[in-house]
């Protein structure tokens, strides 16, 4: 391509600091170095985790930063020593890389990688520098993906080539929200046929947990949210019943215990609220229940619970990116979507041009949207 090897000037939504609207700026995107890939982003979803940065609930975020980690695009150029990916390929940037060599990558039970960006949040890619510049200032890249930009640069271990016919304005959700929820049911909980499940939080990720529980053959999927407007969509995704904790004057775990003969087999917290995490744990069956934490709690939050809850047979686990080994599994998930194994279109409630990104965040914060997909 004519732009290969050159700096690209393009538009990006820069987050100059917490609690400020994103600002669409002209940025410069450096060419990819060794083992890096520059991507033209075509579509990107807005995930609650981006909003956690905007609202200042995560520590150690380096500003200014370009958020966005649920994107899909087309490779513009590749740096030296990149194999298996070429200009023109459709790709999804990965929030967890897969180097293939580290202790996590070689363990089939883990989907982490020592080169991961989670919990590090320094906004740098592997070479420890940034590729974005605005007004002469280096701009960080959230989770190493920075998809709220017309062009971004990612590490070659943090990008998956997907099917040539994949619709980018939908499979972008496979970059985070959909895969996270769906995989936490299938890979982390390993939901069994005929089991009972409770899903706390019915945003894009929680609804994807429901889709996963349904694919796994759960017989009851109880959807829990404080916003009744989320219930119709939850039923469409596969919930068998919906409850609102505000409708009861006793703890929701007691309500669930009554509904399910002493507790569900699997419960999922998909909000990021430590109080709800405790409720989810208490909602699972004392002898054999499993609780999965998917929601990202504010950095300072602590969870507290009676260890007897675990001692008596419950299991508590967490799930990042649904347990998928990113580079290996994402191309297959895209094919599964194209073969209609699941319908992630249900999650997309709004489509907006990139310039309206702040409106997209408002829709998320008001509880009006599930996923807004921005097209660039
Ligand atoms: P969202 O904000 O669209 O959905 C959250 C839902 O929770 C909304 O429907 C709320 O009404 C509901 N809710 C809020 N408070 C309560 C409460 N006290 N009781 C019941 N329901 C409540 O978010 P999302 O679906 O995009 O993301 C959900 C969480 O998952 C969020 O914390 C995000 O950061 C995290 C996440 N984790 C990963 C991962 O890999 N673990 C990936 C992506 C997102
Ligand atoms: Zn996300
Ligand atoms: Zn690794």
């Amino acid at each position: 391509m004519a732009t290969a090897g050159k700096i690209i000037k393009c538009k990006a939504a820069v987050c100059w600091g917490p609690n400020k609207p994103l600002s669409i700026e002209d940025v410069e995107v450096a060419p990819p170095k060794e083992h890096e890939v520059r991507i033209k982003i075509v579509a990107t979803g807005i995930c609650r985790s981006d909003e956690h940065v905007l609202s200042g609930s995560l520590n150690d975020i380096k500003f200014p930063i370009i958020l966005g980690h649920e994107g899909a695009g087309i490779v513009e150029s590749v740096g030296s020593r990149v194999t298996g990916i070429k200009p023109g390929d459709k790709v999804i940037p990965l929030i967890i890389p897969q180097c293939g060599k580290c202790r996590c990558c070689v363990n089939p039970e883990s989907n982490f990688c020592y080169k991961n960006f989670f919990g590090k949040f320094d906004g740098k890619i592997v070479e420890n520098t940034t590729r974005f510049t605005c007004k002469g200032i280096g701009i960080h890249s959230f989770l190493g993906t920075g998809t709220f930009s017309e062009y971004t640069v990612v590490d070659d271990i943090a990008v998956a080539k997907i099917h040539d016919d994949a619709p980018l304005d939908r499979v972008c959700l496979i970059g985070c929200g959909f895969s996270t929820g769906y995989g936490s049911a299938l890979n982390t909980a390993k939901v069994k046929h005929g089991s009972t499940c409770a899903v706390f939080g019915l945003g894009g990720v929680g609804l994807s947990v429901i889709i996963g529980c349904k694919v796994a053959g759960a017989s009851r999927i109880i959807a829990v949210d404080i916003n009744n407007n989320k219930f119709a969509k939850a039923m469409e995704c596969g919930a068998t019943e919906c409850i609102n904790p505000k409708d009861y004057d006793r703890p929701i775990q007691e309500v669930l215990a009554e509904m399910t003969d002493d507790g569900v087999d699997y419960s999922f917290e998909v909000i990021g609220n430590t109080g709800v995490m405790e409720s989810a744990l208490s909602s699972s069956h004392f002898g054999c229940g499993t609780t999965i934490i998917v929601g990202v709690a504010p950095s300072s939050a602590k969870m507290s619970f009676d260890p007897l809850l675990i001692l008596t047979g419950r299991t508590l686990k967490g799930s990042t990116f649904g347990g998928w080994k990113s580079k290996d599994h994402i191309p297959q998930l895209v094919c599964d979507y194209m073969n209609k194994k699941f319908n992630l279109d249900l999650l997309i409630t709004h489509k907006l041009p990139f310039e309206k990104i702040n409106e997209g965040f408002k829709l998320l914060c008001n509880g009006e949207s599930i996923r807004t997909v921005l097209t660039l």
Side-chain angles (χ1 to χ4, degrees), residues 74-130:
I74 296 172
V75 174
E76 175 269 340
S77 63
V78 299
S80 59
R81 304 185 70 189
V82 171
T83 52
I85 292 174
K86 57 181 191 316
D89 284 348
K90 285 186 175 175
V91 289
I92 290 182
L94 304 171
I95 54 176
I96 298 186
Q98 190 184 349
C99 79
K101 295 177 191 147
C102 73
R103 181 171 168 185
C104 292
C105 282
V106 299
N107 181 345
E109 297 294 311
S110 172
N111 74 326
F112 260 88
C113 173
Y114 272 77
K115 301 217 159 138
N116 87 87
F117 316 103
F118 259 87
K120 190 164 69 115
F121 295 140
D122 68 354
K124 292 175 180 170
I125 51 181
V126 167
E127 202 229 21
N128 216 21
T129 46
T130 66

Side-chain angles (χ1 to χ4, degrees), residues 45-50 69-70 95 118 142-143 175-178 180 205 296 321 371:
I46 300 179
C47 171
R48 178 59 69 170
S49 304
D50 297 307
H69 61 279
E70 206 171 69
I95 54 176
F118 259 87
F142 185 47
L143 298 177
C176 181
F178 174 76
T180 296
V205 186
V296 177
F321 198 49
R371 278 295 190 266

